[in-house]
Amino acid sequence: MSNNHVRKRMIPLVFLVVIVCVIYGVIIGRMRQSAYVPDEAAFRSRPKAEGPVRVDPEVLEQGNTAWQGDEYQTMAQKALQIVNERRSQAGLKALNWDDSLAACAMVRATELPDKFSHTRPNGQDWYTVCPDMMYGENLAYGYSTAEEAVSAWMNSPAHQENILYPGFVSCGIGVYEYNGRFYWGQEFSYYESK
């Protein structure tokens, strides 16, 4: 067999190997990005607001109507149950579910497909949904169960710090599904809405 003949037979084989490697790289890259918790969590050290906590009725309406069904609310409440188990293991009091804070979390969850960030799509800070109530925020996407989302948060030091912060007394969690991907917003407060 001549060298020329061997080269002609090798070219398709090399081409096939390159194509397989590229496809493998794309698939692995997408798998790695299918679920994500950013390296940072959001926290404000501003002291508690004085007087009654005001939640904008439009925010409540927007957040409460964004729920896509009872199963999403059940997932959010399951996530808080798991969070409270972790807090109990750390010797901390349980966080109370707050419906107003959950509405704020739903507003944030619905914004995440447009801009997955602690900065809102309108360029404002995350807490501007309800400045008198929102003092900590954890985000995640791609996790389809409460167990997965909380596990990801607990494996991130910044998110774990929010979950285990002893000053927080209430929490609201929003779960929003968009194009088959789940987006999670977890909001923390020093008190409960009235």
Side-chain angles (χ1 to χ4, degrees):
M1 233 184 219
S2 71
N3 281 342
N4 222 6
H5 184 69
V6 172
R7 280 189 205 148
K8 284 183 181 179
R9 291 187 130 198
M10 291 296 292
I11 289 173
L13 182 60
V14 169
F15 183 72
L16 180 62
V17 169
V18 168
I19 294 297
V20 168
C21 288
V22 168
I23 291 171
Y24 178 77
V26 168
I27 290 170
I28 295 301
R30 285 193 179 157
M31 286 173 55
R32 286 185 181 149
Q33 289 300 317
S34 65
Y36 179 69
V37 169
D39 290 337
E40 61 195 44
F43 177 83
R44 290 191 308 151
S45 58
R46 183 183 129 192
K48 296 180 187 179
E50 295 296 322
V53 177
R54 181 187 172 298
V55 181
D56 185 338
E58 288 182 25
V59 168
L60 292 176
E61 177 69 19
Q62 181 183 358
N64 288 330
T65 58
W67 287 105
Q68 296 166 309
D70 290 341
E71 65 272 17
Y72 295 89
Q73 288 176 306
T74 300
M75 283 192 339
Q77 291 173 346
K78 174 68 175 173
L80 181 59
Q81 176 188 343
I82 297 166
V83 161
N84 281 333
E85 289 169 6
R86 301 300 183 274
R87 286 178 62 90
S88 176
Q89 292 167 359
L92 299 170
K93 289 183 182 178
L95 296 171
N96 296 310
W97 178 268
D98 189 284
D99 287 331
S100 296
L101 206 50
C104 296
M106 275 306 299
V107 169
R108 290 292 293 130
T110 62
E111 293 175 344
L112 297 178
D114 292 330
K115 185 171 185 172
F116 189 79
S117 170
H118 294 294
T119 301
R120 301 177 67 196
N122 65 8
Q124 294 182 329
D125 289 326
W126 58 277
Y127 61 84
T128 59
V129 174
C130 185
D132 289 341
M133 221 172 149
M134 296 169 62
Y135 288 91
E137 178 177 78
N138 287 346
L139 305 176
Y141 75 75
Y143 301 101
S144 59
T145 68
E147 292 83 2
E148 292 172 345
V150 175
S151 178
W153 284 328
M154 291 302 290
N155 287 324
S156 162
H159 295 86
Q160 183 184 82
E161 189 173 340
N162 270 349
I163 288 171
L164 300 180
Y165 184 68
F168 290 142
V169 299
S170 62
C171 181
I173 299 173
V175 184
Y176 181 69
E177 185 177 2
Y178 181 78
N179 284 341
R181 180 175 279 173
F182 289 83
Y183 293 85
W184 297 76
Q186 182 180 38
E187 307 301 330
F188 300 92
S189 189
Y190 291 108
Y191 37 77
E192 297 176 65
S193 61
K194 303 290 182 209

